Amino acid sequence: MTYMRLAGLVATVALTLTACEAVNKTELLSSQQAQNQGGKQPNVVFIFADDLGYGDLSSYGATKLETPNIDKLAKQGVKFTDAHSASAVCTASRYGLMTGEYPLRANNGKGIWGPAPIESPLLIDPDTTTIADIFKNKGYDTAVLGKWHLGFGEGKNDWQQPLRPGPLELGFDYYFGVPVVNSAPPYVYVENDQIIGWDPEDPLVYLGRPPKHKVHKDATPITPIPAEAAQRTANMFKGGAEAHSLYNDYSVGTTITEKATDWIKARDGNPFFMYLATTHVHHPFTPAKRFQGKSESGLYGDFVEELDWIVGQVMASLEEAGVADNTLVIFTSDNGGMFNLGGRNAAAKGHQINGDLLGSKFGIWEGGHRVPFIAWWPGKIKAGSVSNQMLNNVDMFATFAALTGHPLSADNSNDSINMLPAILGEATTPLRTEMIVTPRKATHVGLRKGKWMYIGAQNDGGFKGSKPHQHAWGGPAVTTLVNTPNSDIVNGKIKADAPPAQLYDLDADVNQTTNLYNQYPEVVAEMEQLLKRYRSNRL
């Protein structure tokens, strides 16, 4: 079985890392130490919101919506202020989370840069060790629920059953959710490797992308939604009438939540790891009726409030199962918020989806990848604590290995750093001192080292929209929308005399108002050389 592929690894081999981070990576707990954390193996629930920005929670400054359940996690746990997704792009960020490896190393060094297309094969080699493997090999029940968006099968996915390899080949016992994303077909649910409602007499048939501004007339009908809900790609599949009928955009949150809470309550005392990847708050914004109109920031805010309800239901299920006190819950986002129609409407109502940070989803500025990160574990994490430790979601790999006492071999030495001491409030020095973050465009990879953030090009390498009819606004245009000034930008455009690249002091200027490229040529030279080494996979 593929989930047992780590059984032969040598238990005592230490992690290998660059010299500046080696000490941090080798701070793994022994198996006995892990047991001592709670007397028995702790459960882990990892909640990965979709497109949730740094300013989308009350606990991170939002005033036009309410998130009491998520805020409670922060009040009773630890809130990180310098946490980042591995990429500003959904699929790439999920790759980094699952593997502990920077997305630019994926695909034999070619990297993963954009969202996985409809026909994408599984983007992670089944022989790769994943976070699910770490738990599985320590006797945990493992599940992934919600948005997958890492592909299925080999070669082109033809959407015929079984959908393998997929989550079940990457260490998960169980999968239920949306196979791609809630804005792209097929609009069906998948359970394990089967499409729910599959009818062999009426199989899904992919029709391909239609010509621009056209739709397939024989595509299977899907849930009607208003233009206000923001972009959703028209269906590109015919057939599968029963499977499509079971999927309703307005009940996706409720359906996935029920599956997740039922799974938790059915564990019967076994330790478990649940990766809950919500479709919230990715467009289209289709909150259940009971949440519509609840916030002061339109459908976007209503969708955030439904996400908060989801978190509340998960927490209630932990209490009901009697396992809350021995469960580590982590809540974060796959990337920053997006200025689609919903995001722009929220901004017009005074909601700052990414707070005062510059930029947004797909882009390399902080708004694209600096995200909320909250950890909750009763009796283990000091209530109401705040951490300014630099953290990247690739760090969950080494952190979960440390938590469970799972040995890692030299073959598993990747980009991940054990952040458990920071989560538990035990770290007295920075655990991570540098990192790579990737945007949509490979030309705009960002290098963070200490307080410095270096971007080897102008602009943010993300979305380019700036007009009312365009789906995805990004780059300089967003600065006029939410008043996030930058010295390289005037009237929503890059200045003609702007420097060729960017350098920011995030300690003094986290909102990236001032490009210091011309003021610190020696720092630029050092960062550029280090970035070249990362790009060539020599680090």
Side-chain angles (χ1 to χ4, degrees), residues 52 105 134 174 234 246 269 294 356 405 419 430-431 485 495 534:
L52 187 81
R105 303 196 198 279
I134 285 171
Y174 179 72
L246 297 173
K294 280 197 66 179
D356 293 324
M419 298 300 295
L431 302 179
K495 295 177 180 178
Y534 272 107

Side-chain angles (χ1 to χ4, degrees), residues 46-360:
F46 187 88
I47 305 174
F48 210 34
D50 198 352
D51 288 4
L52 187 81
Y54 192 81
D56 274 338
L57 304 176
S58 305
S59 47
Y60 279 79
T63 60
K64 299 294 184 179
L65 52 80
E66 296 180 354
T67 53
N69 293 300
I70 301 171
D71 298 341
K72 186 177 179 180
L73 296 181
K75 290 176 183 176
Q76 297 179 351
V78 59
K79 178 179 79 171
F80 282 72
T81 61
D82 196 5
H84 301 259
S85 54
S87 171
V89 181
C90 47
T91 294
S93 177
R94 291 159 203 276
Y95 175 91
L97 170 68
M98 289 287 294
T99 65
E101 182 176 78
Y102 292 137
L104 89 171
R105 303 196 198 279
N107 194 20
N108 294 318
K110 296 177 183 177
I112 294 175
W113 303 97
I118 294 168
E119 295 181 285
S120 173
L122 181 63
L123 296 176
I124 300 174
D125 188 323
D127 288 333
T128 301
T129 304
T130 68
I131 55 172
D133 286 317
I134 285 171
F135 289 99
K136 187 66 182 176
N137 292 332
K138 297 299 289 186
Y140 279 63
D141 294 346
T142 57
V144 51
L145 295 106
K147 173 181 173 179
W148 179 239
H149 214 182
L150 284 167
F152 293 88
E154 299 173 340
K156 282 190 176 181
N157 177 14
D158 62 4
W159 292 97
Q160 303 306 298
Q161 299 190 149
L163 296 176
R164 303 188 82 149
L168 303 185
E169 280 66 50
L170 297 180
F172 291 106
D173 299 325
Y174 179 72
Y175 167 60
F176 178 90
V178 177
V180 183
V181 59
N182 59 321
S183 65
Y187 298 106
V188 298
Y189 291 115
V190 171
E191 187 167 35
N192 294 325
D193 58 4
Q194 304 289 305
I195 295 170
I196 300 296
W198 175 266
D199 180 355
E201 301 299 318
D202 184 30
L204 288 181
V205 177
Y206 182 53
L207 300 171
R209 288 194 171 275
K212 194 173 183 180
H213 305 306
K214 301 289 184 180
V215 296
H216 289 296
K217 293 181 179 179
D218 54 348
T220 302
I222 55 177
T223 313
I225 62 173
E228 181 189 5
Q231 187 269 353
R232 181 188 64 181
T233 301
N235 199 10
M236 299 179 191
F237 287 81
K238 69 177 182 179
E242 175 66 15
H244 281 98
S245 72
L246 297 173
Y247 184 101
N248 183 302
D249 294 71
Y250 292 96
S251 62
V252 170
T254 300
T255 299
I256 292 174
T257 302
E258 290 175 349
K259 288 287 186 179
T261 55
D262 287 348
W263 187 84
I264 287 173
K265 288 182 283 189
R267 298 290 43 87
D268 195 28
N270 294 334
F272 62 84
F273 168 62
M274 185 175 76
Y275 165 36
L276 175 57
T278 71
T279 56
H280 295 57
V281 294
H282 193 286
H283 61 89
F285 302 98
T286 54
K289 188 173 182 178
R290 63 189 182 277
F291 296 102
Q292 294 171 20
K294 280 197 66 179
S295 76
E296 297 178 42
S297 43
L299 286 176
Y300 185 101
D302 298 345
F303 219 35
V304 174
E305 294 206 6
E306 185 172 34
L307 169 66
D308 184 73
W309 170 83
I310 291 171
V311 173
Q313 293 299 110
V314 170
M315 299 306 294
S317 72
L318 294 173
E319 292 287 351
E320 185 177 341
V323 297
D325 287 347
N326 192 42
T327 301
L328 168 63
V329 177
I330 294 176
F331 176 91
T332 188
S333 179
D334 68 338
N335 46 248
M338 178 181 175
F339 287 101
N340 44 41
L341 180 59
R344 299 198 299 274
N345 287 344
K349 295 176 181 293
H351 176 57
Q352 299 274 91
I353 66 175
N354 294 315
D356 293 324
L357 298 176
L358 181 70
S360 58

Side-chain angles (χ1 to χ4, degrees), residues 408-426:
L408 295 176
S409 74
D411 291 338
N412 299 137
S413 62
N414 48 25
D415 301 303
S416 185
I417 293 175
N418 171 23
M419 298 300 295
L420 191 59
I423 290 172
L424 297 178
E426 298 169 352

